[in-house]
């Protein structure tokens, strides 16, 4: 049989894609890179407004309603994607009175035990920043799987879980969870 080889696709850069690739100015203090090229830093949703205060930290982004929070949500993004892609959703929650934080995953995945430990530290840092009050932990895909794993640690501040499009946490029994 004859095999026809197609030429490799040529990758070109358009003015739009070249202009949208800006480096996120967040400094990184850990040995795990938490940010990569990002497009949303110029979006209005990442800036404070009269209704939502936005705080960027090295390891997470916090949005607090100006009227005071009615609840708190810590959100872990899906693996491999840009965590700032969740900013419009998180912004809407903050506008509705829910204090929210997007915790950045090391290497945008957190598959190793040491990188998961970094995620647990970041969740604890956000919760402690919020005076240790109750919070809901949520995530999408890989972030949801990590949320289920965190829930098995028995953190008494955890008030609930929001798991979006994730695998079943078969290795983590949540039946005894008190939230």
């Amino acid at each position: 049989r004859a095999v026809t080889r197609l030429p490799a696709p040529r990758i070109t850069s358009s003015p739009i894609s070249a202009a949208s690739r800006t480096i996120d100015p967040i400094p990184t203090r850990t040995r795990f890179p938490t940010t990569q090229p990002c497009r949303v830093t110029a979006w209005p949703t990442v800036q404070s407004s009269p209704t939502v205060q936005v705080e960027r930290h090295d390891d997470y982004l916090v949005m607090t309603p100006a009227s005071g929070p009615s609840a708190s949500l810590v959100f872990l993004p899906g693996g491999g994607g840009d965590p700032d892609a969740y900013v419009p959703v998180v912004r809407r929650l903050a506008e509705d009175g829910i204090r929210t934080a997007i915790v950045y995953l090391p290497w945008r995945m957190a598959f190793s035990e040491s990188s998961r430990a970094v995620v647990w530290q970041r969740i604890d840092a956000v919760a402690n920043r919020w005076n240790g009050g109750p919070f809901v932990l949520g995530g999408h895909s890989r972030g949801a799987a990590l949320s289920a794993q965190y829930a098995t640690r028995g953190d008494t501040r955890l008030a609930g879980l929001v798991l979006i499009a994730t695998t079943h946490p078969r290795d983590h029994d949540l039946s005894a969870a008190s939230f």
Side-chain angles (χ1 to χ4, degrees):
R1 267 186 198 199
V3 176
T4 305
R5 293 193 183 261
L6 299 175
R10 235 179 100 191
I11 299 172
T12 59
S13 184
S14 72
I16 294 173
S17 65
S20 67
R21 290 191 187 122
T22 59
I23 300 298
D24 196 347
I26 300 172
T28 302
R29 286 189 234 166
T30 64
R31 66 186 185 123
F32 302 104
T34 57
T35 59
Q36 292 177 7
C38 171
R39 288 178 225 166
V40 300
T41 55
W43 288 7
T45 55
V46 182
Q47 299 169 3
S48 292
S49 72
T51 58
V52 176
Q53 179 186 358
V54 177
E55 300 171 58
R56 267 202 189 270
H57 299 273
D58 292 348
D59 304 323
Y60 52 88
L61 171 79
V62 177
M63 293 195 177
T64 305
S67 60
S70 60
S72 300
L73 170 72
V74 177
F75 189 81
L76 304 179
D82 187 340
D84 283 346
Y86 299 90
V87 166
V89 173
V90 168
R91 174 80 181 209
R92 180 57 194 255
L93 292 171
E95 289 170 351
D96 288 342
I98 300 170
R99 176 175 44 195
T100 56
I102 299 173
V103 172
Y104 303 131
L105 304 181
W107 295 101
R108 295 190 181 186
M109 285 295 199
F111 276 115
S112 70
E113 191 62 41
S114 62
S115 61
R116 280 192 296 273
V118 170
V119 174
W120 305 162
Q121 290 170 353
R122 291 175 183 178
I123 293 169
D124 289 338
V126 171
N128 292 337
R129 181 180 177 80
W130 293 343
N131 298 321
F135 66 94
V136 173
L137 182 60
H140 169 241
S141 188
R142 176 71 184 146
L146 290 167
S147 297
Q149 290 176 21
Y150 183 89
T152 64
R153 299 178 67 218
D155 189 334
T156 57
R157 302 169 296 182
L158 193 58
L161 278 176
V162 177
L163 307 178
I164 304 168
T166 190
T167 58
H168 185 273
R170 67 181 178 275
D171 298 333
H172 306 284
D173 183 8
L174 298 174
S175 63
S178 61
F179 46 83

